[in-house]
Amino acid sequence: MKQIGCRNLAQADHDPISQWMDGVVGGVVLAGVVVAGFVDRALACLRHRARFTMLATSVVAVLLLAGCSSPTTLYYTLSAPPAGQPVAMQSTGSSTPVAYRINSVTIPAQVDDTSLVVRQSPDQLMVLTFDRWTAPLSDQLRDALSQALTREMGVPPLQNLASNPTGPGQRSVSQVSVDVQRFDLLPGQAALLDVAWQVDVPGQTRQSGQSLTCYSELRTAAAPGVAPLVAAQQSNVLKLAGQIGQALSSATVSDARCF
């Protein structure tokens, strides 16, 4: 058997091919270590980004929900809050109350809605989506007049009761008709109410009855905001009720053009 000497062994250990292979293996190992470290850092970065993305998404979602929530709808009425004591029968000069009925109330179609309508310019109206009447405006005005006249006359209108005389000396029920010509809410300026109205007061006979037709132009200044506009129009309704009350009790009216 052929023996390999020490010199041959040394030559074998320094064989170029072996050295190249050792270098390749070492490089692969080193590259693996580097790649593994890079992958770990990349995964950590991705996890951090994922947490940040989830947090940012949650914040954006909360902001969107807050921004998309609907404003609160506010409801208004034309009936003014009661103040003081009623002036029952003070203007009649008699202990006998006047019987009357609100026969009809008409409102311009462009504002007869449950939403408040304000005037922006002479030829432009704006509907306030989130500011509403508690009922259609024509019903609102009828109810407000009914309450205001109750305070003026001492008795409510007899809307659903029999109106024919029941015996000698009994009077029929007076009839009140209201036709609104203008119902304007001018933001930051005033509330306007122009009304043609009529009171039919029956007498003991058909010939002795009286009919009074009047035209009222009512204006009340209003501060900025929807609530002040409504309060100003409530004041106009109270003024109108006062004029109608005068006509019912004495057939004379101040502050209105009658014929």
Side-chain angles (χ1 to χ4, degrees), residues 44-109:
C45 182
L46 288 175
R47 286 193 294 269
H48 177 73
R49 286 190 175 184
R51 289 194 296 269
F52 176 79
T53 301
M54 292 177 62
L55 177 61
T57 302
S58 301
V59 171
V60 171
V62 171
L63 292 176
L64 287 176
L65 288 175
C68 294
S69 59
S70 299
T72 302
T73 300
L74 301 178
Y75 291 89
Y76 300 90
T77 175
L78 271 179
S79 300
Q85 297 298 320
V87 291
M89 294 173 288
Q90 287 184 359
S91 60
T92 63
S94 170
S95 61
T96 303
V98 176
Y100 64 99
R101 171 183 289 116
I102 300 177
N103 189 36
S104 64
V105 175
T106 58
I107 295 282

Side-chain angles (χ1 to χ4, degrees), residues 242-255:
Q243 295 176 358
I244 295 175
Q246 290 179 14
L248 286 169
S249 60
S250 62
T252 60
V253 181
S254 59
D255 301 325

Side-chain angles (χ1 to χ4, degrees), residues 30-232:
L30 179 61
V33 173
V34 172
V35 169
F38 176 77
V39 169
D40 288 341
R41 292 171 62 186
L43 289 175
C45 182
L46 288 175
R47 286 193 294 269
H48 177 73
R49 286 190 175 184
R51 289 194 296 269
F52 176 79
T53 301
M54 292 177 62
L55 177 61
T57 302
S58 301
V59 171
V60 171
V62 171
L63 292 176
L64 287 176
L65 288 175
C68 294
S69 59
S70 299
T72 302
T73 300
L74 301 178
Y75 291 89
Y76 300 90
T77 175
L78 271 179
S79 300
Q85 297 298 320
V87 291
M89 294 173 288
Q90 287 184 359
S91 60
T92 63
S94 170
S95 61
T96 303
V98 176
Y100 64 99
R101 171 183 289 116
I102 300 177
N103 189 36
S104 64
V105 175
T106 58
I107 295 282
Q110 63 266 27
V111 297
D112 191 11
D113 198 353
T114 54
S115 295
L116 270 70
V117 180
V118 299
R119 184 170 292 279
Q120 289 187 301
S121 65
D123 59 352
Q124 187 176 22
L125 299 173
M126 181 174 68
V127 177
L128 304 183
T129 305
F130 299 104
D131 295 285
R132 297 178 175 273
W133 301 111
T134 55
L137 188 54
S138 55
D139 294 335
Q140 278 283 305
L141 183 55
R142 180 189 293 273
D143 292 343
L145 276 176
S146 175
Q147 294 182 32
L149 282 171
T150 299
R151 295 186 59 80
E152 287 288 330
M153 307 303 298
V155 292
L158 308 180
Q159 296 300 112
N160 302 308
L161 302 178
S163 60
N164 292 328
T166 57
Q170 298 293 324
R171 300 181 62 188
S172 297
V173 176
S174 299
Q175 304 293 322
V176 178
S177 300
V178 176
D179 181 26
V180 176
Q181 305 291 313
R182 183 179 187 180
F183 188 102
D184 273 348
L185 302 175
L186 307 179
Q189 300 180 48
L192 285 62
L193 186 64
D194 296 348
V195 184
W197 52 275
Q198 186 175 64
V199 171
D200 290 320
V201 181
Q204 299 298 332
T205 66
R206 183 178 181 86
Q207 290 74 20
S208 63
Q210 301 179 56
S211 179
L212 187 66
T213 301
C214 301
Y215 181 67
S216 301
E217 293 179 320
L218 306 168
R219 307 285 186 273
T220 300
V226 176
L229 272 180
V230 173

